């Protein structure tokens, strides 16, 4: 399983006064099992990019190759693409519409043409996987759930389609810290249970450091860098030039290093960082 | 694709038409619409068409933009055209299978289509060249005589401008919801009328819920800024009628008189 994007460009509103190049010459490759973070300033084109990956938007030029098929070409079955690539939009809870949570989650699997038994099975599985109690929520109205629960139910609606590639656009936007943590733990749990490609858009650099295998950095419609979190975060000044931060911990270590304390800066773990700083301070004292 | 709809949108530009007083444009548009119904022959349409073309040139709104606005009504246009073409009795000039085209039908079909196109273009030109704020102000001042009779003119004008303002917002919202349901495999393009109708439910319900949410947020934001309705509210921009406005109004009246005259004479 893989996704390859080649020279992808997209222009919104071509031929109108507000014509805008939202994506320019984007190219990257993702492989099976990778957990990918997509970061970038608001308006940098992240949402536009992910909508191309399941065929909701068509590129003005370029190719999007999912498992060997170019999905940008006309004549590809959209339902087939959506079976392979699941996209959870930003604020997905605004798309809930059914009377009960179970029915809402069943919407996607039903559209795939599965039989009733399989649909039920998938609904149960998906709700459990996102961390909701199936028996407790299945007959409740999705509009009665709490904010975090609504979000989980909406995500379950896509997870139930069992996509090979799961994309989440800012899954934690507007949530309290508790729900934020639960959602990110859920994303990790889903990724670990499927070992497929998971892409998440985020502004939280701690999540990037903790979860991602690969980071895509967008700026003004272009792909700035691709690399492991360690590689990407080692360019602190370059990131801040495009309005992005490194995780607070790395920021601290970077400041210490600039201030003259010889520490390694590529550390994402709090305890490890503490040890590193203590070690460096001790060494300095001995001298 | 939903975002292509330009209904009620403003097109920012600096032109003679943009700078006209909103009241002139509102009255002018209303008169023009009456003209379209007064006129009974193609000569009249030629005159009215020429007048609209002149305003279009002056307004500096690109043609492509205006045609894009016409696209959504293309279906209605084609439908009315063919309905008139085949349904009107009279002198038969063509016969295709069980359908017959009559001279009167052809005449009426062309007539109605031209009227519809002119009507839509003229009314969209009003919102294309007038800022929503100016439109509200103009409307409020035109309606102000009714105020004395207890009609809440300010609130009516405010509601209309909010409605205009939220057309693009709701279209964007609908677009987003539609995409999200498509991502879940929803199919809006195939099946018969009933299936397609049912396929709209996953869009309409979230859209309704969203509209109420947006309305609630807006009301809260207005209250937070102490909005209390029309009484005691002053305007930031006091528009005064200039010479250009009088000329434009005069031109509209002349056109109106000409339309009446044509109707009476022939
Ligand atoms: N449907 C649309 N129509 C026109 N312009 C859009 C649309 N969606 C996004 N844009 C514009 O494209 C740019 C990229 O937007 P987006 O992909 O939403 O960025 P991000 O998700 O990184 O915040 C922005 O400048 C935005 O205004
Ligand atoms: Mg976005």
């Amino acid at each position: 399983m893989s996704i390859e994007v080649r020279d992808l460009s997209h222009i919104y509103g071509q031929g109108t006064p507000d014509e805008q190049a939202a994506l320019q010459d984007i190219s990257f490759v993702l492989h099976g099992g990778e957990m990918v973070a997509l970061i970038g300033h608001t308006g940098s084109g992240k949402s536009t990019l992910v909508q191309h990956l399941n065929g909701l938007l068509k590129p003005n030029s370029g190719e999007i190759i999912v498992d060997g098929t170019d999905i940008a070409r006309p004549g590809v079955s959209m339902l087939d693409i959506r079976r392979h690539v699941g996209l959870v939009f930003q604020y997905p809870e605004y798309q809930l519409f059914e009377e009960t949570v179970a029915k809402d989650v069943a919407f996607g699997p039903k559209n795939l043409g599965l039989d009733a038994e399989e649909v039920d099975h998938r609904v149960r599985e998906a709700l459990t996987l996102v961390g909701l109690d199936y028996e407790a929520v299945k007959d409740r109205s999705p509009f009665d759930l709490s904010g975090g629960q609504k979000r989980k139910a909406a995500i379950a609606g896509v997870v139930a389609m069992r996509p090979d590639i799961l994309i989440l656009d800012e899954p934690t936007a507007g949530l309290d810290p508790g729900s934020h943590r639960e959602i990110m733990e859920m994303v990790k749990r889903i990724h670990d249970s499927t070992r497929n490609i998971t892409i998440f858009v985020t502004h939280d650099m701690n999540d990037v450091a903790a979860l991602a295998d690969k980071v895509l950095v967008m700026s003004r419609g272009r792909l700035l860098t691709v690399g492991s979190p360690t590689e990407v975060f080692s360019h602190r000044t370059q990131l801040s030039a495009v309005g992005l931060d490194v995780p607070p911990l790395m920021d601290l270590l970077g400041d210490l290093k600039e201030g003259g304390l010889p520490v390694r800066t590529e550390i994402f773990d709090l305890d490890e960082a503490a040890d590193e700083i203590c070690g460096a301070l001790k060494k300095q004292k001995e001298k | 694709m939903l975002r292509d709809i330009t209904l009620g949108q403003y097109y920012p530009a600096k032109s003679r038409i943009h700078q006209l007083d909103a009241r002139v444009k509102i009255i002018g548009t209303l008169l023009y619409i009456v003209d379209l119904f007064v006129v009974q022959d193609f000569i009249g349409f030629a005159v009215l068409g020429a007048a609209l073309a002149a305003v279009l040139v002056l307004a500096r709104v690109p043609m492509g933009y205006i045609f894009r606005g016409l696209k959504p009504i293309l279906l209605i246009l084609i439908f009315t055209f063919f309905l008139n073409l085949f349904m009107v009795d009279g002198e038969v000039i063509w016969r295709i299978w069980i359908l017959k085209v009559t001279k009167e039908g052809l005449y009426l079909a062309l007539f109605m289509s031209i009227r519809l196109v002119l009507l839509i273009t003229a009314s969209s030109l009003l919102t294309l060249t007038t800022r929503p704020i100016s439109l509200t102000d103009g409307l409020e001042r035109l309606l102000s005589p009714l105020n004395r009779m207890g009609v809440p003119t300010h609130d009516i004008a405010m509601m209309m401008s909010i409605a205009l303002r939220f057309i693009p917002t709701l279209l964007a919202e609908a677009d987003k919801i539609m995409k999200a349901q498509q991502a879940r495999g929803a199919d809006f393009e195939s099946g018969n009328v009933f299936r397609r109708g049912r396929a709209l439910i996953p869009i309409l319900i979230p859209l309704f819920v969203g509209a109420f949410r947006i309305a609630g947020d807006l009301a809260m934001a207005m209250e937070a800024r102490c909005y209390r309705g029309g009484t005691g509210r002053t305007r930031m921009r006091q528009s005064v009628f200039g010479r250009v406005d009088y000329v434009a109004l005069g031109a509209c009246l002349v056109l109106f008189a000409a339309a009446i005259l044509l109707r009476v004479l022939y």
Side-chain angles (χ1 to χ4, degrees):
Chain A
M1 183 200 332
S2 69
I3 302 186
E4 182 172 358
V5 170
R6 279 194 211 137
D7 302 320
L8 176 64
S9 296
H10 187 88
I11 302 168
Y12 277 119
Q14 203 160 23
T16 68
D18 30 43
E19 172 174 308
Q20 188 183 15
L23 294 178
Q24 288 175 52
D25 303 325
I26 308 269
S27 302
F28 59 86
V29 187
L30 305 178
H31 302 285
E34 280 181 335
M35 175 82 126
V36 183
L38 177 56
I39 61 175
H41 202 267
T42 301
S44 57
K46 306 180 296 292
S47 300
T48 307
L49 176 60
V50 294
Q51 285 174 43
H52 278 86
L53 300 183
N54 79 340
L56 283 171
L57 288 175
K58 293 282 172 203
N60 287 69
S61 63
E63 292 164 16
I64 303 152
I65 299 151
V66 177
D67 281 337
T69 353
D70 181 0
I71 65 169
R73 210 172 297 159
V76 223
S77 153
M78 280 301 139
L79 201 60
D80 243 15
I81 299 172
R82 308 229 157 108
R83 201 190 307 267
H84 289 294
V85 187
L87 173 60
V88 179
F89 272 69
Q90 196 170 354
Y91 296 110
E93 59 273 26
Y94 292 157
Q95 292 117 40
L96 297 168
F97 70 97
E98 275 286 10
E99 295 156 64
T100 68
V101 172
K103 278 190 190 171
D104 205 280
V105 176
F107 182 67
K110 267 191 195 153
N111 285 329
L112 294 181
L114 302 170
D115 60 53
E117 204 177 321
E118 177 67 15
V119 170
D120 278 348
H121 173 67
R122 291 221 186 167
V123 169
R124 184 185 290 264
E125 178 194 72
L127 281 171
T128 313
L129 203 53
V130 299
L132 289 173
D133 181 353
Y134 173 77
E135 292 300 332
V137 297
K138 72 175 183 0
D139 292 322
R140 288 179 65 186
S141 161
F143 298 102
D144 289 342
L145 301 178
S146 75
Q149 284 178 321
K150 270 189 200 168
R151 179 83 46 106
K152 287 179 190 166
I155 295 175
V158 173
V159 171
M161 296 170 78
R162 285 199 198 149
D164 301 326
I165 297 157
L166 178 65
I167 309 173
L168 304 109
D169 194 351
E170 301 198 26
T172 58
L175 291 181
D176 58 277
S179 302
H180 179 127
R181 188 157 17 85
E182 279 178 33
I183 294 281
M184 288 322 292
E185 276 165 7
M186 173 200 96
V187 171
K188 180 154 172 46
R189 195 163 58 236
I190 295 170
H191 182 74
D192 289 344
S193 79
T194 58
R195 297 311 302 168
N196 293 333
I197 300 180
T198 306
I199 305 174
F200 63 101
V201 177
T202 188
H203 290 289
D204 187 314
M205 298 305 150
N206 276 330
D207 289 343
V208 177
L211 298 174
D213 302 313
K214 195 181 241 179
V215 188
L216 306 178
V217 186
M218 300 270 306
S219 174
R220 299 177 181 214
R222 290 179 183 279
L223 189 63
L224 208 64
T225 31
V226 183
S228 69
T230 319
E231 282 160 13
V232 168
F233 289 138
S234 64
H235 306 291
R236 194 157 69 128
T237 37
Q238 198 190 349
L239 281 181
S240 77
V242 297
L244 294 173
D245 296 323
V246 299
L249 202 54
M250 283 190 82
D251 214 23
L252 172 71
L253 291 167
D255 283 349
L256 287 174
K257 193 174 181 182
E258 273 171 28
L261 191 69
V263 286
R264 283 187 302 124
T265 54
E266 300 82 25
I267 299 173
F268 301 140
D269 183 71
L270 191 60
D271 291 333
E272 201 185 333
D275 288 347
E276 177 76 17
I277 295 172
C278 287
L281 283 173
K282 258 185 209 147
K283 258 186 220 156
Q284 212 172 37
K285 233 180 194 172
E286 283 162 14
K287 271 185 203 162
Chain B
M1 122 204 152
L2 272 176
R3 288 177 195 243
D4 286 348
I5 297 176
T6 52
L7 178 74
Q9 298 269 49
Y10 174 68
Y11 181 90
K14 268 203 154 84
S15 81
R16 281 275 161 79
I17 305 296
H18 281 75
Q19 282 155 3
L20 278 182
D21 193 293
R23 283 169 290 177
V24 176
K25 284 186 270 189
I26 296 171
I27 296 173
T29 309
L30 288 178
L31 283 179
Y32 190 84
I33 291 172
V34 177
D35 292 348
L36 284 174
F37 286 93
V38 167
V39 157
Q40 289 293 339
D41 51 15
F42 289 109
I43 304 170
F45 276 152
V47 174
L48 289 177
L52 189 64
V55 177
L56 274 177
V57 171
L58 280 176
R60 299 220 185 118
V61 180
M63 277 303 172
Y65 203 73
I66 289 172
F67 283 129
R68 231 162 42 111
L70 282 175
K71 239 196 280 174
I73 64 142
L74 202 64
L75 206 69
I76 304 174
L77 200 67
I78 293 171
F79 186 72
T80 27
F81 183 85
F82 283 103
L83 205 65
N84 279 309
L85 192 62
F86 294 127
M87 291 299 171
V88 178
D89 282 331
E91 188 185 327
V92 177
I93 47 178
W94 257 327
R95 211 179 264 283
I96 318 159
W97 187 45
I98 55 162
L99 299 168
K100 57 186 194 308
V101 176
T102 63
K103 202 169 155 191
E104 287 79 359
L106 184 65
Y107 183 82
L108 206 65
L110 281 175
F111 197 82
M112 285 303 182
S113 311
I114 295 175
R115 182 180 277 171
L116 208 59
V117 169
L118 291 180
L119 184 76
I120 306 264
T121 313
S123 40
S124 55
L125 207 55
L126 173 66
T127 50
L128 279 172
T129 62
T130 320
R131 277 179 203 288
I133 297 254
S134 320
L135 202 60
T136 324
D137 269 1
L139 204 64
E140 194 180 340
R141 293 174 70 167
L142 282 176
L143 292 175
S144 63
L146 294 178
N147 212 352
R148 269 178 240 130
M149 290 158 50
V151 180
T153 53
H154 171 81
D155 305 70
I156 292 174
M158 181 58 99
M159 280 194 285
M160 286 184 79
S161 77
I162 289 176
L164 273 182
R165 160 67 186 76
F166 277 93
I167 289 175
T169 309
L170 284 178
L171 285 175
E173 187 79 12
D175 190 62
K176 214 160 50 186
I177 293 168
M178 215 162 135
K179 276 190 193 156
Q181 307 298 27
Q182 275 176 322
R184 295 211 275 164
D187 176 10
F188 309 117
E189 272 124 38
S190 58
N192 59 28
V193 182
F194 294 103
R195 278 195 59 154
R196 285 194 198 199
R198 272 187 40 147
L200 286 180
I201 295 175
I203 302 175
L204 291 182
I205 291 176
L207 192 61
F208 252 78
V209 175
F212 278 100
R213 189 184 63 243
I214 293 170
D217 289 351
L218 179 70
M220 189 105 78
M222 285 168 82
E223 256 172 37
R225 288 191 254 169
C226 304
Y227 177 79
R228 283 174 286 108
T231 38
R233 229 172 125 76
T234 55
R235 289 193 178 77
M236 185 165 136
R237 223 170 271 157
Q238 296 284 354
S239 58
V240 275
F241 251 62
R243 197 157 50 177
V244 183
D245 295 314
Y246 283 112
V247 172
L249 193 58
C252 292
L253 287 171
V254 168
L255 194 67
F256 183 63
I260 302 264
L261 215 63
L262 263 174
R263 172 75 181 263
V264 175
L265 289 184
Y266 295 95

